[in-house]
Amino acid sequence: MKRLFVLVALMAGVLQLNAQEKREINYDESAVPAYILPDLLTCLDGQPVKSVTEWETVRRPEIMHILATQEYGLTPQTAIEMKSKLMAEDPHALGGIATSQQVMLTFSGQGKTVKALLLAYIPNQRQGKVPVVVGYNFQGNHSMSLDENILYSPFFERLTDRNDPQLKRGIQMNRWPLEMIVKRGYALVTMDYQDIYPDNPAGEPLSVISLFPPSKDNDTKWQAIGAWAWGSSRMADWVEQQPWADQDRLVIMGHSRQGKAALWTGAQDTRFRVVISNDSGCGGAALSKRQFGEDIATIVNSFPHWFCPAFNQYADREESLSFDQHYLLAMIAPRHLYVASAQEDRWADPKGEFLATVATSPVYRLYGLDGIVGSQMPAIHQPLMQHTGYHIRAGVHDVTDYDWQCYLDFCDKAFSIKQD
Ligand code: GTR
């Protein structure tokens, strides 16, 4: 009897999986439903926003509340203890052009601790303070270079098999042109995102969320994206204490799921003056109402631990959303926003990412700043760089040197930096 039950349960599981696999993903522009984007500049009581003051005191807080309670969850406002300990320093990193520092951050709360290993590359050739790019890596600090001195991030240190291919050095070097970044005068501060929240539905007990009192309301509970955003703000806290870092030139860059988290970080933490989303797609820069590529039902089924449970109500009901992802992007204003897509990354809906970026322009205009306008996407490799920016490059879902060149160009422009 018990066996039969197990068999039936297994079959049900397989059927469910098949149903998900077979879910029809729309890649047909003519099948995009007609939709009207909710207006950024109309308050919940119907009043239009006419000034920066109205935006900052009424409308922006309304939108932050919508995003926190309907999509990403509420970030606790209480601080927990963070200790930092320098584990290693190399003044001759990257062939001598940088100093690397490896710093263990230990977070404590609820009688527990969580550790995250921060890695910084600081340009050796510098006059005064330097701008800083903050961004998570996916595969551990050791994946970013072949340098044997780089310690394993705590998430990878926990792997019991020392021959695990995930411990191989340099497996994501292609995404991190460290020399280019440093040569252009920028410091890089990174850590593995899974140190903050192991990226699986059972990850919470080892995440920083477990250091806080449990959320009072399940619907608005913060989950992985909220935790990753919180962790980026802790990297910013560390940067704030560094004598070589220019606090007014802080950048956050995130790819894909970390693009989503980078945007949510930038929305909440105004210390980030430039916010960059690389191929962030659904739940990131792409408009949900277009229902092109990955949709809400697909993402909340595959990653139930990313968004707050209230977001599930929009699965297969995108038309009922009273907001869309341009709300998230508009939270960056009047700071600098840059969104990038890849041509073959239809899953992330490049056009939806572009249109959401365009849709933020009325808010920038309120500040007297130029956003991107028009409904025509730029051609491949023709970056648009106003106060906000956008590009689409050839190729697949990834981070390439081309993307980084554009990001650094955009940051130079934002910070009025002239390269020699
Ligand atoms: C995919 C997910 C995307 C994106 C991507 C990534 O599986 O559906 O939303 O986040 O992962 O992070 O690489």
Side-chain angles (χ1 to χ4, degrees):
M1 186 63 194
K2 204 170 156 201
R3 268 201 210 141
L4 185 70
F5 177 76
V6 171
L7 191 72
V8 171
L10 272 176
M11 277 171 63
V14 169
L15 284 178
Q16 200 188 6
L17 206 74
N18 281 343
Q20 266 177 36
E21 276 170 4
K22 289 208 191 91
R23 253 191 85 78
E24 262 199 49
I25 295 294
N26 176 37
Y27 288 122
D28 177 0
E29 198 58 46
S30 69
V32 168
Y35 64 90
I36 295 173
L37 279 187
D39 189 12
L40 280 165
L41 297 182
T42 303
C43 297
L44 289 175
D45 66 1
Q47 290 301 310
V49 175
K50 294 206 206 75
S51 67
V52 165
T53 310
E54 282 168 12
W55 167 255
E56 290 184 353
T57 58
V58 183
R59 185 58 174 150
R60 189 178 188 280
E62 271 181 11
I63 295 180
M64 281 302 287
H65 184 74
I66 292 171
L67 294 168
T69 55
Q70 307 277 301
E71 190 164 5
Y72 302 104
L74 290 160
T75 311
Q77 296 306 308
T78 47
I80 57 167
E81 186 188 80
M82 170 172 106
K83 283 200 180 125
S84 56
K85 183 176 176 209
L86 184 65
M87 310 292 287
E89 183 166 35
D90 176 3
H92 308 293
L94 306 178
I97 61 169
T99 295
S100 68
Q101 288 189 346
Q102 302 185 71
V103 178
M104 191 64 83
L105 303 181
T106 306
F107 304 105
S108 313
Q110 306 286 101
K112 291 172 65 177
T113 57
V114 166
K115 287 183 185 300
L117 186 62
L118 179 149
L119 168 63
Y121 287 100
I122 307 136
N124 283 339
Q125 212 181 58
R126 54 181 195 270
Q127 286 144 352
K129 296 177 185 248
V130 291
V132 184
V133 180
V134 168
Y136 285 114
N137 61 73
F138 278 65
Q139 295 291 338
N141 296 346
H142 66 281
S143 70
M144 300 169 69
S145 77
L146 298 171
D147 185 348
E148 295 282 334
N149 298 315
I150 302 300
L151 304 166
Y152 288 122
S153 303
F155 178 82
F156 290 91
E157 195 50 63
R158 285 198 289 272
L159 296 177
T160 43
D161 175 5
R162 297 329 274 169
N163 293 320
D164 191 305
Q166 294 186 84
L167 294 178
K168 225 172 142 223
R169 293 187 179 276
I171 48 176
Q172 275 196 340
M173 284 171 72
N174 63 309
R175 288 190 178 171
W176 298 98
L178 299 174
E179 291 190 7
M180 179 208 294
I181 297 168
V182 165
K183 280 189 180 151
R184 291 197 49 168
Y186 288 76
L188 178 73
V189 172
T190 184
M191 59 193 189
D192 180 62
Y193 82 119
Q194 300 210 71
D195 284 355
I196 294 295
Y197 192 119
D199 194 0
N200 66 76
E204 191 182 312
L206 288 176
S207 79
V208 293
I209 291 185
S210 70
L211 307 178
F212 288 84
S215 302
K216 289 206 183 77
D217 169 22
N218 190 56
D219 275 354
T220 58
K221 176 183 156 55
W222 66 322
Q223 298 220 80
I225 293 181
W228 294 324
W230 179 92
S232 292
S233 289
R234 302 297 73 80
M235 287 196 264
D237 292 347
W238 181 82
V239 170
E240 269 185 342
Q241 295 160 6
Q242 307 311 310
W244 44 263
D246 186 341
Q247 309 309 329
D248 297 326
R249 291 172 168 181
L250 190 56
V251 181
I252 184 161
M253 193 294 272
H255 167 61
S256 203
R257 64 197 69 184
Q258 287 316 317
K260 309 179 210 295
L263 291 166
W264 182 226
T265 310
Q268 298 175 91
D269 190 337
T270 55
R271 289 175 295 177
F272 291 101
R273 312 308 295 174
V274 178
V275 179
I276 302 169
S277 140
N278 189 86
D279 306 354
S280 61
C282 181
L287 294 174
S288 298
K289 285 182 182 287
R290 276 176 43 79
Q291 296 177 43
F292 187 102
E294 185 175 29
D295 57 18
I296 295 178
T298 309
I299 204 167
V300 299
N301 276 319
S302 314
F303 306 103
H305 58 293
W306 282 6
F307 300 90
C308 73
F311 197 47
N312 298 349
Q313 68 185 288
Y314 300 110
D316 290 323
R317 292 183 61 239
E318 276 85 354
E319 71 289 346
S320 69
L321 281 162
S322 67
F323 61 99
D324 210 325
Q325 294 307 114
H326 61 312
Y327 276 37
L328 175 66
L329 303 189
M331 294 298 93
I332 314 296
R335 291 164 293 139
H336 297 271
L337 163 73
Y338 195 95
V339 172
S341 314
Q343 190 182 26
E344 290 172 46
D345 187 15
R346 296 189 310 156
W347 184 247
D349 186 16
K351 185 164 182 194
E353 297 188 312
F354 171 71
L355 292 176
T357 312
V358 169
T360 63
S361 296
V363 178
Y364 282 92
R365 270 201 298 279
L366 207 57
Y367 284 92
L369 300 166
D370 279 341
I372 287 171
V373 285
S375 53
Q376 199 58 41
M377 279 183 75
I380 302 294
H381 304 151
Q382 297 294 320
L384 299 175
M385 294 194 193
Q386 305 293 337
H387 200 81
T388 60
Y390 176 85
H391 77 242
I392 179 164
R393 62 157 170 80
V396 296
H397 188 73
D398 202 354
V399 192
T400 67
D401 283 7
Y402 175 80
D403 294 318
W404 276 106
Q405 271 152 20
C406 293
Y407 299 153
L408 296 171
D409 287 350
F410 184 71
C411 290
D412 281 355
K413 191 167 180 269
F415 299 146
S416 310
I417 293 174
K418 288 210 162 45
Q419 299 286 341
D420 314 319

